[in-house]
Amino acid sequence: MWLSVALAAAVGLAFAGASLASGGFGWRDVAGVAVLVAAASVAEAFPVPIEGVAVGAMSLATIFLVAGATIYGWAAGAVAGFLAMVLVEVGRRRPFSRIAFNCGVYVLAGMSAGGAAADLHSGTLPQLVLGAIAAAIAFYLVNITLLAAVVSRSRGLPFVPSFRNYVHLTLVPFTIMASLAVILVVLWDRSPFVAVVLVGPLLATAFYQRWIHGALDRLREFDRLKDEFIAIVSHELRTPLTSVYGAAVTLRQQAIDEEQRSALLDIVSTEAARLARLLDDVLWVSRLDSGRAKAFITKVEPLPLATTVVEATRTHLPPALSVELRHDPAPPAVAADPDKLRQVLVNLIENAVKYSGEGRIEVGLHRRNGKMRFSVRDQGPGIPPNQRERIFEKFYRLDPNMTLGVGGTGLGLYICRELVEAMEGQIWVDSVPGEGTTFSFELPIAASS
Ligand code: ADP
């Protein structure tokens, strides 16, 4: 398909070249075509997304190419179509067949437009307008017929529904572009310099459309995040609630011994703690997103704080895990917000517990490069190199379908990074897949007073 379009266009271009070379084309005409080709290339390079009308982005190049073909004839139309497309497509490094097809479409469309307007461009004003309208329609029909043909061919669909679909999606923007092409032709006929007045409204329309499209894209993204948030949080709420409910129902039965009773109470307290952590995460995210998580920096003694967190972890550590705190002899105070610092440590240690399952967890507190470095090292599965940035994104999880049976919201590390950065620190991860992971963050040392 692409080959026949390209061949037909090549033959057309050859005739067009011959026709132009045979004379009648002055330097003013060459300059006029060059300006229109430049405008069409810019329009082609920066297509305008049209909200709710077209699926992809529309190029306004049609306006300039139709005007060029109406004013300067079919041969100029073919050459202008070719140049406008080839400049942009080669710049985009598209595959050859695609470049050949797209250029072919514009050459054939440009020729048809010029042909449809023939003999009218030297006539009266109404004739000129009619010529431009005929040119626009011809350009449009050739363009969408070929596009629909190639799309229906490649997807194995019948041609007529594809064509109808294209018309449905592009008719409104096309009508507007056709009117603009007519205006351009009429102005250009007066003087190409007068036509410059179209630049302002065209640029304004293009920028405004792009801006609207960007704003709506952001809204759609918010909406998607909200849905994801609700889905994840409700799923994460349900799991511990089911366990607590199950344990409570069993506890009500009289016939359980002391050992079972204490195991069930363990479940209730661990799952309740999990619920509390989840709600903490959600609250932190809401505070961070609404800018209410300002850090109140004071002087914080890191050793007592880390010791409390490590001791608290020990109380509910699975039997296959151990946790240790290693630190410099007398770690200096850091400039931090104590609540936020505690939250970051809790999140990192909880992750180490959750994802490593067995082995040793080492919490470190060392002075490095004039800062205080906190680290949490585990002997878990590790994190592949290409995921080490992404895990800090909101909702990002390595195992979203929980094939390994470990639940989570993907919020913990996002919160850690935001909190550490709010305290003027930095957080990062080092990991050897299969051997373990070390999360580290550095905070400034408090000025001694
Ligand atoms: P959550 O734990 O709720 O899924 P986090 O933001 O805390 O969310 O972590 C994001 C992802 O990073 C986790 O889903 C997990 O895949 C990975 N991850 C975090 N900590 C570790 C760790 N210590 N070892 C291995 N993978 C980890």
Side-chain angles (χ1 to χ4, degrees), residues 185-251:
V185 166
V186 172
L187 291 177
W188 195 277
D189 187 56
R190 280 290 166 100
S191 151
F193 296 107
V194 178
V196 172
V197 295
L198 265 185
V199 171
L202 276 180
L203 280 181
T205 313
F207 280 119
Y208 185 67
Q209 281 293 341
R210 277 181 162 241
W211 179 77
I212 288 266
H213 192 72
L216 286 171
D217 264 356
R218 283 194 294 280
L219 275 184
R220 280 190 280 263
E221 177 62 14
F222 278 143
D223 215 40
R224 194 188 62 73
L225 277 178
K226 187 198 74 197
D227 290 347
E228 199 172 326
F229 181 75
I230 294 176
I232 292 177
V233 170
S234 35
H235 176 268
E236 285 299 305
L237 278 175
R238 177 169 309 217
T239 324
L241 271 181
T242 314
S243 311
V244 170
Y245 179 71
V249 169
T250 322
L251 276 170

Side-chain angles (χ1 to χ4, degrees), residues 87-110:
L87 288 176
V88 176
E89 292 286 280
V90 169
R92 284 185 184 143
R93 298 172 195 281
R94 291 261 160 83
F96 178 74
S97 59
R98 177 114 185 238
I99 299 183
F101 176 77
N102 285 346
C103 291
V105 170
Y106 266 21
V107 167
L108 296 177

Side-chain angles (χ1 to χ4, degrees), residues 16 42 58 65 73 90 150 179 250 252 269 276 297 300 323 363 370 379 421 429 441:
V42 172
M58 297 277 300
L65 295 177
V90 169
V150 81
S179 336
T250 322
R252 280 177 108 187
S269 67
I297 306 288
V300 183
V323 58
V363 180
Q379 297 176 325
E421 286 177 0
V429 62
F441 62 98

Side-chain angles (χ1 to χ4, degrees), residues 156-168:
L157 297 170
F159 171 76
V160 176
S162 300
F163 181 78
R164 216 180 302 134
N165 191 29
Y166 260 91
V167 172
H168 177 70

Side-chain angles (χ1 to χ4, degrees), residues 3-200:
L3 197 60
S4 27
V5 169
L7 284 178
V11 174
L13 262 184
F15 276 107
S19 154
L20 290 178
S22 68
F25 216 68
W27 69 266
R28 277 170 164 274
D29 299 331
V30 173
V33 173
V35 168
L36 290 172
V37 166
S41 309
V42 172
E44 190 61 44
F46 300 101
V48 181
I50 299 180
E51 198 54 47
V53 176
V55 247
M58 297 277 300
S59 140
L60 298 185
T62 306
I63 301 170
F64 306 106
L65 295 177
V66 166
T70 312
I71 301 162
Y72 297 105
W74 68 270
V79 174
F82 173 74
L83 287 176
M85 188 54 99
V86 83
L87 288 176
V88 176
E89 292 286 280
V90 169
R92 284 185 184 143
R93 298 172 195 281
R94 291 261 160 83
F96 178 74
S97 59
R98 177 114 185 238
I99 299 183
F101 176 77
N102 285 346
C103 291
V105 170
Y106 266 21
V107 167
L108 296 177
M111 278 171 77
S112 326
D119 297 332
L120 290 171
H121 58 281
S122 53
T124 59
L125 187 64
Q127 276 177 322
L128 193 64
V129 171
L130 277 181
I133 294 175
I137 294 175
F139 190 96
Y140 176 65
L141 284 179
V142 171
N143 201 347
I144 59 163
T145 306
L146 293 177
L147 284 178
V150 81
V151 167
S152 64
R153 199 88 189 283
S154 68
R155 299 194 187 150
L157 297 170
F159 171 76
V160 176
S162 300
F163 181 78
R164 216 180 302 134
N165 191 29
Y166 260 91
V167 172
H168 177 70
L169 289 172
T170 55
L171 194 59
V172 176
F174 158 71
T175 318
I176 296 168
M177 285 200 279
S179 336
L180 284 165
V182 174
I183 297 173
L184 180 58
V185 166
V186 172
L187 291 177
W188 195 277
D189 187 56
R190 280 290 166 100
S191 151
F193 296 107
V194 178
V196 172
V197 295
L198 265 185
V199 171

Side-chain angles (χ1 to χ4, degrees), residues 339-401:
D339 283 344
K340 297 192 169 61
L341 173 55
R342 182 175 302 109
Q343 186 66 40
V344 176
L345 271 178
V346 167
N347 278 3
L348 295 181
I349 298 178
E350 290 297 335
N351 272 356
V353 172
K354 202 159 76 166
Y355 294 105
S356 61
E358 57 180 22
R360 199 176 48 192
I361 299 171
E362 254 177 50
V363 180
L365 215 53
H366 301 278
R367 196 183 173 129
R368 293 274 182 281
N369 316 318
K371 304 225 160 140
M372 199 63 202
R373 183 177 297 180
F374 297 75
S375 57
V376 178
R377 176 203 299 262
D378 65 47
Q379 297 176 325
I383 296 168
N386 59 352
Q387 305 287 324
R388 289 180 199 160
E389 263 306 305
R390 298 216 61 190
I391 50 171
F392 290 99
E393 287 170 20
K394 206 191 267 183
F395 300 126
Y396 194 80
R397 310 200 62 228
L398 290 187
D399 177 27
N401 302 323

